């Protein structure tokens, strides 16, 4: 990002605690000292995050789900464009949905350990809210294929809606994690400067 964007962002007083997309894009370590910031994790929450094995589980499941998403998206697009490969496309969506359920269940356990509640902890409130839409759309697809609701093409269009919501949700989490990393780096530099 350019310095101009940083300046514009500073004018908005955005931070890592800002749940909006703009706030996540705008938070930088350089801007941190200029406004009151709330850390994504308290020191105790950070300790619990680093100690729980569920952090590793999330670190494995998230990129795995994203890889399956990319492959499945290609298969769905192929079916919609050519009418071929319905079985493969359907199987890939079912696998993607299974991974989504797995990451949501284990993520809830992780959130309970780190923040003390299974869902809607303040640090990830809007990400969790949007995750509910993602789960609802994926579940609606499963209901459609099990209940033979709609044509195969209509079902695949529902998949595209679910995948669009998933992509937005994944971006939310990536931006939040980036903001947390930048904030921790800024705090570490500030601590080193005070010590020197």
């Amino acid at each position: 990002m350019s310095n101009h964007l940083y300046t514009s962002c500073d004018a908005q007083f955005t931070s890592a605690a800002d749940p909006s997309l703009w706030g996540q894009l705008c938070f930088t370590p350089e801007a941190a000292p200029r406004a009151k910031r709330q850390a994504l994790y308290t020191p105790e929450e950070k300790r619990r995050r680093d100690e729980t094995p569920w952090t590793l589980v999330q670190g494995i499941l998230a990129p795995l789900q994203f890889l399956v998403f990319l492959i499945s998206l290609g298969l769905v697009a192929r079916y919609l464009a050519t009418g071929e490969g319905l079985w493969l496309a359907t199987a890939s969506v079912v696998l993607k949905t299974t991974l989504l359920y797995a990451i949501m269940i284990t993520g809830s356990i992780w959130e309970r350990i780190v923040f003390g509640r299974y869902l809607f902890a303040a640090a990830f409130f809007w990400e969790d809210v949007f995750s509910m839409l993602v789960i609802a759309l994926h579940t609606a697809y499963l209901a459609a294929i099990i209940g033979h609701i709609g044509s195969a093409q209509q079902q695949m269009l529902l998949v595209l809606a679910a995948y669009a919501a998933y992509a937005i949700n994944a971006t939310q989490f990536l931006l939040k994690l980036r903001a947390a990393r930048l904030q921790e780096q800024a705090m570490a530099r500030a601590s080193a400067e005070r010590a020197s």
Side-chain angles (χ1 to χ4, degrees), residues 76-160:
V76 169
R78 174 176 173 251
Y79 169 74
L80 288 172
T82 68
E84 298 177 358
L86 177 60
W87 185 88
L88 274 177
T90 300
S92 72
V93 179
V94 171
L95 176 59
K96 161 70 174 66
T97 303
T98 302
L99 287 170
L100 174 67
Y101 288 153
I103 201 168
M104 287 304 300
I105 292 169
T106 58
S108 293
I109 296 169
W110 176 88
E111 204 164 318
R112 174 70 174 85
I113 291 170
V114 176
F115 297 107
R117 56 189 308 166
Y118 286 105
L119 279 172
F120 308 118
F124 290 97
F125 180 82
W126 291 110
E127 289 79 5
D128 286 351
V129 167
F130 207 85
S131 291
M132 296 301 103
L133 172 63
V134 175
I135 290 172
L137 288 169
H138 282 72
T139 302
Y141 170 75
L142 291 184
I145 62 172
I146 292 170
H148 305 287
I149 301 169
S151 66
Q153 185 173 29
Q154 290 170 333
Q155 292 169 356
M156 287 300 165
L157 290 174
L158 177 57
V159 169
L160 290 183

